[in-house]
Amino acid sequence: MRKPFVAGNWKMYKTVREAVELIDEIQPKIEELSGVETVFCVPFTCLSAVAEKLKNSKIGVGTQNVHWETQGAFTGEISPLMVKEFGKYAIIGHSERRSFFGETDESVNMRLQAALNNDLVAIVCVGESLDQNENGKTEEVITRQMKIAFTNIPKSQLKNVVIAYEPIWAIGTGLACDPLKANEIIKYSIRKPLIEMYGEDVAKEVRVLYGGSVKGSNAKEYFLQPDIDGALVGGASLKPEFIEIVRAAA
Ligand code: PEP
């Protein structure tokens, strides 16, 4: 049985004061809900304050990236050991990292290995561009992203992996992917490679999220799909509307 999972990706939004205000407003309502794992992946500057606020909470804290080394001369990066001081989750391979900061399938794999070797829960993002989608390349692109991301990742570490299917054209655009289509892509481009790499028993335990313009008003349609176990939420996680999404998953 895969427990529903909802993660908020705050991207590069919120000062510490704004972060604390939002947590104060929504935490009590989220705490009332059961049967869902909820996480905030916040900017580095908010980690300390958000972790402090949520220290006795069932809501988890994470980052939006993590480096493959535990320390070193890597200006602007964060190591898995540093993430662990505040939380246990890290988003890896978000399309904004891939398109604006040169993240590749290979660097996603290195970051994933480091995250898992340091006992973090990794939220691995995959997804196709509009051009790839329109040219019938979705399955090929995502299958390749999956196979490279999971190179040298042993079966035993999959329990700490969550995968997010995020079509790039749906992120922040309001053009959410049709839930049936998202389910089909997850089934054939994410679960199928997982089964090929790890076998059915392990693959069926991995949680797969949908991300891309999820809102309070459409979340339920995704969560009703058999292969979708939750959502990675950008814009709507910055507002009290996030509660509605967690409620739909619960
Ligand atoms: C995201 O940032 O991962 C995302 C899905 O954003 P949005 O919900 O705003 O589309």
Side-chain angles (χ1 to χ4, degrees):
M1 184 64 191
R2 303 189 298 261
K3 185 175 185 180
F5 188 104
V6 177
N9 171 19
W10 285 6
K11 311 191 191 223
M12 197 174 72
Y13 290 102
K14 297 214 179 286
T15 60
V16 171
R17 186 179 56 77
E18 291 165 345
V20 168
E21 274 171 17
L22 180 67
I23 299 283
D24 280 342
E25 188 173 355
I26 70 178
Q27 182 191 355
K29 301 207 177 68
I30 292 178
E31 298 285 0
E32 283 168 13
L33 303 167
S34 57
V36 56
E37 191 170 342
T38 308
V39 179
F40 290 114
C41 294
V42 305
F44 300 147
T45 50
C46 295
L47 273 175
S48 173
V50 171
E52 178 61 25
K53 276 267 151 202
L54 298 177
K55 70 173 182 242
N56 297 316
S57 161
K58 60 183 184 195
I59 304 171
V61 179
T63 53
Q64 303 162 17
N65 185 23
V66 64
H67 197 260
W68 52 83
E69 294 290 347
T70 49
Q71 61 175 17
F74 299 104
T75 303
E77 290 279 335
I78 188 163
S79 102
L81 293 182
M82 295 168 184
V83 177
K84 262 173 51 171
E85 289 187 295
F86 300 102
K88 69 167 190 176
Y89 301 86
I91 296 174
I92 297 177
H94 191 281
S95 61
E96 287 154 16
R97 299 285 322 161
R98 293 179 191 253
S99 46
F100 301 132
F101 302 102
E103 200 78 70
T104 62
D105 291 333
E106 288 73 19
S107 65
V108 166
N109 172 250
M110 289 162 74
R111 292 178 196 272
L112 179 57
Q113 292 192 50
L116 297 174
N117 289 340
N118 287 283
D119 300 319
L120 292 173
V121 174
I123 305 167
V124 182
C125 301
V126 294
E128 83 288 2
S129 66
L130 184 59
D131 186 56
Q132 290 162 338
N133 183 288
E134 288 177 345
N135 286 296
K137 300 265 184 236
T138 301
E139 188 171 336
E140 178 191 323
V141 167
I142 299 177
T143 301
R144 187 180 61 239
Q145 291 173 339
M146 286 292 298
K147 295 241 158 131
I148 300 176
F150 286 90
T151 301
N152 293 327
I153 304 291
K155 232 182 214 187
S156 58
Q157 289 187 325
L158 275 222
K159 61 181 182 305
N160 284 334
V161 168
V162 177
I163 299 168
Y165 166 54
E166 296 211 308
I168 299 169
W169 48 269
I171 298 178
T173 59
L175 300 170
C177 182
D178 174 72
L180 284 173
K181 188 79 199 152
N183 189 74
E184 189 185 302
I185 293 168
I186 288 172
K187 187 167 178 187
Y188 293 107
S189 308
I190 295 180
R191 293 214 188 270
K192 189 166 155 239
L194 279 177
I195 292 170
E196 284 165 12
M197 289 185 282
Y198 297 102
E200 180 110 38
D201 284 0
V202 177
K204 74 169 192 262
E205 296 303 325
V206 178
R207 288 174 292 180
V208 184
L209 318 177
Y210 166 74
S213 297
V214 174
K215 312 234 169 301
S217 54
N218 66 9
K220 196 169 168 193
E221 296 168 52
Y222 293 99
F223 304 156
L224 288 171
Q225 301 300 323
D227 282 294
I228 301 181
D229 305 311
L232 180 55
V233 185
S237 73
L238 299 164
K239 305 180 266 192
E241 178 184 355
F242 188 62
I243 301 163
E244 299 314 315
I245 299 172
V246 181
R247 184 171 292 130

